[in-house]
Amino acid sequence: MVFEWIARRAGPLGLCLAVASLTLPPAMAQVQPAGFAEALRPRLQAGGQPVSWTLAERMDHYGVPGLAIAIIEDGEIVYLQGHGVLQVGSPDPVTPNTLFSAGSVSKIATSALALHLAADGRLDLDADVLSGLSTWSLPDSRDPFGSQVSLRAILSHTAGFNLHGFEDYQPGAALPSVTETLDGTGPAQNDALERRFEPGSRYAYSGGGFTLAQLYLSDRSGLGFEALAEAELFTPLGMDRSTFANPLPETVGNIARAHDRSGQPTALPRGYEAMPEMAASGLWTSAADLGRLVAQLIGGYRGEPGYLSPDMARAMMTRIAPGEHGLGPRLTGTGDSFIFHHGGANDSYQTWIEGHLVTGDGLVILTNGAQGRALINEVRNGVADTMGWNLNRPVILPERQPTASDLAGFVGTYSVDPSFPIDLRQQMVGWIFESALEFRLDDDSRLMAGRAGGDRFEPLIALTPTRFVMPGFSQTVGIAELEFHRNALGEVTGMSFHLENATSHYRRG
């Protein structure tokens, strides 16, 4: 069934659905959320006629057969609908209750569960997790620091653990237990969990840390993680189409099947992978259920009674230095544009949630294609425009670009400035953020950026004579901008790399 509008909820956890044929009162018809499907666009726009597409066009372009979406306004779900089909070539439609793999959005569900238990006094966010385990211990050889580590540090990715993420498991593959995952043994496809940094010294996104949190929650409660989440998260919130079961039983029905980057079915014969690292990436959920959770988190922050107390919700939405996360979600923006968000990216599913903590607006997008992330970005832009949100405004590129002689002054290698403390770089640590960057001109006299000595370079587009955007660098919210610094002698001495709420500085060498 297709739902165009959602009536105002009858109670904090209730959900009243209105079918497409419903005639809305004039007061509720001022904003038409469904209009986003005709207004997808890129973030970067050339001058002149703006570019836009329909949702159907872009789903076909990216090979994403199915998408489900929930739009929240002032704390209430006002639009809930499925688009496309469960599997390419199938007549079965995606609905608001279709199950998708949520990927790392699982971490937000896990964080909400942990904070709920902490608010009830059943957990201490600042107690030592390692000494609180009863079924496993971290070997001294993998813990050179030996200091305590708290759930607060794990949820904010400041605990110092490795294991950024995990590979999916194909149908028929043996699945590791949580302790096998932590030890990197048996059928586990990952390295062993170990502590790489002193807790609180730097940011390191860690699905491994969340797997440790999963075991801790189970040990403290005496319940398996799947059962604990069912009893303490899904049932209280009425999320009856959500589970951490992996592999997902086919008997649950209405499952969005997996598709590769070409839009073809994959993970056959079952049609979807398994993610046994439940807390980090194993959630299966629907747009209706995930919309409930996001609305509840927004409501708690705004002081409304619900799943999380206002105090705990504000703690969740307070950034923990030196990273970009609060207790689970990423946080960015100020004023009316202060939002929490998180993406999910398993092999064949891409997911997105965001909540605007001042206005009460929000968004949930679930897709069943490996290229769903690019589609999600364009959907977010269309929804923001349609709903009148002060987010994702188009960046209009100037028609006049620097000449080749102007760009030649930026050519060279730039290294991270060692005088800029690593604990002030937020998420800009590890990966390419600690590598030297090289800038060169290609055969078409375009300025290109890449890792020094590497073979992949991305073109830059000028916003000003010294500030450039890198369209090929995909980030969750912000646009990657590079700003060169030229002194009064005309010398280019360095460069700053800007990402939404974080900056890192480089010296020319």
Side-chain angles (χ1 to χ4, degrees):
M1 181 177 292
V2 176
F3 295 94
E4 292 287 350
W5 278 88
I6 308 302
R8 297 298 178 185
R9 289 182 295 178
L13 300 179
L15 189 66
C16 300
L17 303 182
V19 297
S21 60
L22 178 65
T23 301
L24 296 172
M28 290 189 65
Q30 295 175 357
V31 176
Q32 294 287 344
F36 85 90
E38 304 296 321
L40 276 64
R41 63 163 172 82
R43 184 76 183 276
L44 302 176
Q45 293 269 14
Q49 186 67 29
V51 175
S52 66
W53 309 284
T54 68
L55 176 60
E57 288 171 342
R58 299 312 274 174
M59 289 175 68
D60 181 66
H61 175 78
Y62 290 116
V64 176
L67 177 147
I69 183 170
I71 300 175
I72 299 165
E73 184 180 29
D74 194 22
E76 306 289 344
I77 298 176
V78 295
Y79 179 88
L80 183 64
Q81 187 168 334
H83 297 265
V85 293
L86 302 183
Q87 187 173 59
V88 66
S90 164
D92 299 326
V94 172
T95 76
N97 290 317
T98 296
L99 264 66
F100 291 77
S101 166
S104 285
V105 170
S106 308
K107 296 179 177 70
I108 305 307
T110 299
S111 298
L113 170 62
L115 296 179
H116 176 73
L117 296 175
D120 283 351
R122 287 179 279 176
L123 289 177
D124 182 346
L125 293 177
D126 298 303
D128 180 32
V129 167
L130 295 175
S131 64
L133 295 170
S134 59
T135 60
W136 181 83
S137 61
L138 180 64
D140 292 343
S141 60
R142 306 206 307 260
D143 186 13
F145 304 101
S147 54
Q148 294 189 353
V149 60
S150 68
L151 197 57
R152 191 184 300 273
I154 291 173
L155 298 183
S156 60
H157 299 280
T158 60
F161 289 116
N162 63 332
L163 297 181
H164 182 280
F166 302 96
E167 295 183 21
D168 296 355
Y169 289 76
Q170 296 301 309
L175 303 183
S177 66
V178 62
T179 56
E180 287 174 328
T181 297
L182 293 171
D183 286 326
T185 59
Q189 301 176 142
N190 54 270
D191 294 332
L193 181 75
E194 59 184 50
R195 199 124 55 116
R196 297 280 178 84
F197 312 108
E198 185 73 29
S201 64
R202 62 186 292 177
Y203 167 82
Y205 186 90
S206 177
F210 267 75
T211 304
L212 180 64
Q214 172 184 327
L215 183 62
Y216 179 70
L217 295 180
S218 294
D219 281 2
R220 299 295 294 177
S221 67
L223 293 173
F225 187 75
E226 182 183 340
L228 176 64
E230 178 65 35
E232 298 289 347
L233 177 65
F234 302 144
T235 296
L237 288 179
M239 297 173 65
D240 56 7
R241 289 287 292 168
S242 297
T243 180
F244 279 107
N246 278 277
L248 180 68
E250 294 190 58
T251 53
V252 302
N254 197 4
I255 303 168
R257 307 290 163 153
H259 296 82
D260 63 19
R261 295 187 64 81
S262 299
Q264 296 303 306
T266 188
L268 301 173
R270 185 176 65 212
Y272 52 89
E273 300 89 352
M275 286 63 66
E277 306 85 11
M278 300 179 199
S281 59
L283 176 64
W284 290 89
T285 190
S286 68
D289 279 9
L290 208 48
R292 289 186 179 96
L293 177 59
V294 171
Q296 279 289 303
L297 298 180
I298 293 171
Y301 181 86
R302 300 173 88 198
E304 300 168 5
Y307 185 70
L308 292 184
S309 68
D311 286 346
M312 195 59 79
R314 284 192 294 271
M316 186 184 206
M317 305 302 173
T318 299
R319 188 180 297 160
I320 304 295
E324 63 173 333
H325 292 253
L327 299 181
R330 292 180 169 94
L331 299 162
T332 192
T334 60
D336 285 357
S337 298
F338 179 44
I339 71 172
F340 75 88
H341 63 90
H342 212 287
N346 286 336
D347 286 351
S348 309
Y349 299 85
Q350 301 282 323
T351 306
W352 177 261
I353 64 169
E354 67 182 76
H356 310 169
L357 292 163
V358 175
T359 64
D361 303 328
L363 182 61
V364 168
I365 309 171
L366 301 165
T367 72
N368 66 342
Q371 291 204 78
R373 179 65 239 223
L375 175 64
I376 285 171
N377 290 339
E378 295 170 3
V379 170
R380 290 186 66 235
N381 297 337
V383 172
D385 293 349
T386 302
M387 300 300 294
W389 296 344
N390 187 30
L391 294 169
N392 309 337
R393 296 299 189 198
V395 175
I396 307 300
L397 301 174
E399 294 183 13
R400 178 180 173 83
Q401 290 290 304
T403 65
S405 59
D406 293 332
L407 297 175
F410 305 127
V411 170
T413 300
Y414 298 70
S415 299
V416 176
D417 186 346
S419 67
F420 187 53
I422 197 166
D423 62 349
L424 298 184
R425 299 181 202 163
Q426 297 189 53
Q427 71 267 33
M428 297 182 73
V429 295
W431 195 38
I432 67 165
F433 300 121
E434 293 182 31
S435 299
L437 299 180
E438 181 183 348
F439 298 87
R440 60 173 67 161
L441 296 182
D442 70 359
D443 294 339
D444 295 322
S445 296
R446 297 182 304 172
L447 187 62
M448 309 289 289
R451 195 193 302 259
D455 56 6
R456 179 178 176 181
F457 281 73
E458 296 286 346
L460 304 182
I461 301 174
L463 298 176
T464 74
T466 57
R467 196 170 181 117
F468 296 77
V469 65
M470 185 160 44
F473 189 87
S474 177
Q475 285 290 296
T476 51
V477 174
I479 295 174
E481 293 189 29
L482 303 173
E483 180 182 12
F484 293 94
H485 305 294
R486 191 189 296 273
N487 64 20
L489 301 176
E491 302 166 332
V492 177
T493 59
M495 181 271 296
S496 295
F497 193 160
H498 304 286
L499 277 180
E500 190 72 14
N501 59 357
T503 296
S504 190
H505 301 292
Y506 295 72
R507 291 288 182 186
R508 190 175 190 178

